[in-house]
Amino acid sequence: MRFASKGPTVRALPVTLVLLAGCTELQREFSGPAKLEVVGAPQGACITVKVAGQAQSRCDGSTFRFTGLSGELPVEVQVDWQGLRVQEYSGQVRLAPGTTSRVEVERKRVSVEVEVPWASSRAVYEAYVDGAWAFGITTYPDPPPGGLEGMVLVVKESRNTLSLPTAPRAAIRVRDDTGEARVMVNTPTDGMRIRVAEPQYAPIRLTPEGLASGVSCVVALVGQVEAARTCTPPFTLTLTPSDGSYRTVLVQAYRDGFVFQEGQVSAKAGESRSVPMARKRVQVELTAPGFTADTTAYGEVWLRPEDQEGVPLYGDPPPAGYDGYRLADRAMVVNGVATLSVPTGRMVLFRLAGSRTTQGVVELVDGDRRVVLP
């Protein structure tokens, strides 16, 4: 009787297990599919989700439903907006029927290399994108420079490899101590090499100091080339250099049609300098017949009143007939020649005095020359 009572129980066990399994499947079916919500995608984006070999896409929402999936599963998410891949996610997500799991997508970036052979080691590399594309990332509060209105600074680095958010266009700007340059790139891609041409260097600004009265125009010379000119007080000059190197600039002030003053300064792009101005002087070799190596004599140069400003003058009285003239330089005759340092001017009086005295007026002295008196 004991064996008879156990037999039916053993035969009923498989049937019970089948029934239990069926109930579990039924429970899963009634508890609903596993849901996956994508967080952070922009409105209007198209989202593609891949879970364990299953893929779904939609452009009208961010919640996806998967039937028959459960457990820790690999998930990939791609977000496209206005024709560009803008966000991504890749990782493991736990899914269960009747529950909702969430993943937050991250902004897709591309790495570009900026080629700038002219930039110094102190250069700053910046990238700007249009404001509508500056989502999902940290931005900088710096206002955009002129010409990039409506764009947002998204990258600021001291190295030339930049990680950019995907966008239809990006402005790359490179700045160093002396200038800046920029280039606009359409749809930057990963691994792209971007070359930035030589910049327009920041101008050099020069302000002459100690200008004489009556100055009409001021010019700046680099070498023999006129680099800037102004005829408007306060006569500040602006030069646009071709590179970031220091250069010597000669500043000349014109009065009465000749160079009345000049000054010199060394400056580089981006600098503002004051230039002390002094009377321009030239070298004049003064001689006359009969003045030889054996002659003991001296030469003189005398200036009219209009040209005496800014010149240290001797106290000697003027020669007869030259009222108002003042002695500006005097030198001994050596080997028949007196070498004088002469301020530029008009109607300049030259004299040689020794065993005999001779003199003459030169209408304009504005450069080195030789003067032969009668």
Side-chain angles (χ1 to χ4, degrees):
M1 294 297 292
R2 288 176 300 185
F3 293 103
S5 63
K6 289 183 179 180
T9 303
V10 173
R11 288 194 298 268
L13 182 59
V15 177
T16 304
L17 293 176
V18 171
L19 291 174
L20 288 174
C23 290
T24 302
E25 292 297 327
L26 188 62
Q27 182 180 11
R28 288 180 180 174
E29 183 69 26
F30 278 99
S31 62
K35 296 180 182 179
L36 181 66
E37 182 180 354
V38 177
V39 179
Q43 187 175 2
C46 292
I47 306 172
T48 299
V49 176
K50 298 178 182 179
V51 180
Q54 295 188 28
Q56 296 183 24
S57 297
R58 61 184 307 172
C59 301
D60 58 351
S62 59
T63 301
F64 296 78
R65 294 167 175 80
F66 294 92
T67 301
L69 295 180
S70 180
E72 193 85 13
L73 300 171
V75 174
E76 292 183 7
V77 180
Q78 297 174 344
V79 179
D80 294 327
W81 187 60
Q82 297 188 24
L84 280 182
R85 180 71 41 80
V86 293
Q87 290 168 309
E88 294 176 326
Y89 173 85
S90 180
Q92 295 287 119
V93 178
R94 179 172 293 280
L95 298 178
T99 64
T100 300
S101 300
R102 291 176 176 82
V103 295
E104 186 170 358
V105 287
E106 295 182 352
R107 195 68 164 85
K108 179 176 173 59
R109 290 179 174 268
V110 294
S111 178
V112 302
E113 184 175 345
V114 183
E115 297 180 343
V116 278
W118 50 266
S120 70
S121 59
R122 297 178 298 278
V124 176
Y125 300 82
E126 299 175 345
Y128 295 78
V129 299
D130 290 296
W133 293 83
F135 60 88
I137 54 175
T138 300
T139 62
Y140 294 82
D142 310 42
L148 301 182
E149 290 80 4
M151 304 191 84
V152 177
L153 178 60
V154 294
V155 177
K156 183 187 288 188
E157 292 281 357
S158 59
R159 56 193 180 94
N160 67 330
T161 300
L162 308 180
S163 178
L164 310 181
T166 51
R169 64 173 189 162
I172 308 299
R173 181 189 186 209
V174 182
R175 299 183 291 115
D176 65 10
D177 295 339
T178 56
E180 72 164 68
R182 67 181 73 163
V183 63
M184 191 70 73
V185 182
N186 291 325
T187 317
T189 56
D190 201 49
M192 178 181 283
R193 299 172 72 89
I194 300 170
R195 187 173 183 85
V196 181
E198 288 277 346
Q200 291 293 321
Y201 286 90
I204 299 171
R205 290 182 173 83
L206 304 177
T207 302
E209 287 188 344
L211 284 175
S213 59
V215 166
S216 58
C217 291
V218 177
V219 302
L221 301 174
V222 177
Q224 301 296 318
V225 179
E226 182 177 310
R229 172 185 291 263
T230 178
C231 299
T232 305
F235 302 104
T236 298
L237 297 157
T238 301
L239 292 71
T240 302
S242 58
D243 57 45
S245 304
Y246 275 97
R247 64 201 65 240
T248 299
V249 183
L250 178 65
V251 177
Q252 296 181 328
Y254 281 80
R255 190 174 90 169
D256 197 20
F258 60 90
V259 178
F260 194 77
Q261 291 174 297
E262 63 183 11
Q264 188 170 286
V265 69
S266 179
K268 69 175 183 177
E271 291 187 335
S272 296
R273 294 292 185 87
S274 297
V275 185
M277 303 295 287
R279 278 304 306 275
K280 178 176 172 62
R281 288 178 175 266
V282 297
Q283 181 176 294
V284 174
E285 293 181 349
L286 183 63
T287 188
F291 287 81
T292 64
D294 300 329
T295 302
T296 300
Y298 56 86
E300 297 175 341
V301 57
W302 295 74
L303 300 179
R304 62 177 184 162
E306 296 93 319
D307 297 330
Q308 294 170 9
E309 184 177 353
V311 179
L313 301 168
Y314 291 79
D316 303 45
Y322 292 92
D323 293 343
Y325 272 67
R326 298 286 300 277
L327 179 61
D329 194 29
R330 176 184 282 144
M332 293 299 297
V333 173
V334 178
N335 294 326
V337 176
T339 301
L340 299 167
S341 176
V342 182
T344 54
R346 294 187 182 276
M347 307 306 294
V348 180
L349 173 64
F350 290 96
R351 300 182 78 237
L352 280 170
S355 57
R356 73 181 183 91
T357 298
T358 182
Q359 64 186 35
V361 172
V362 176
E363 182 177 352
L364 173 63
V365 176
D366 61 355
D368 297 344
R369 61 182 298 170
R370 185 180 180 90
V371 174
V372 180
L373 298 177

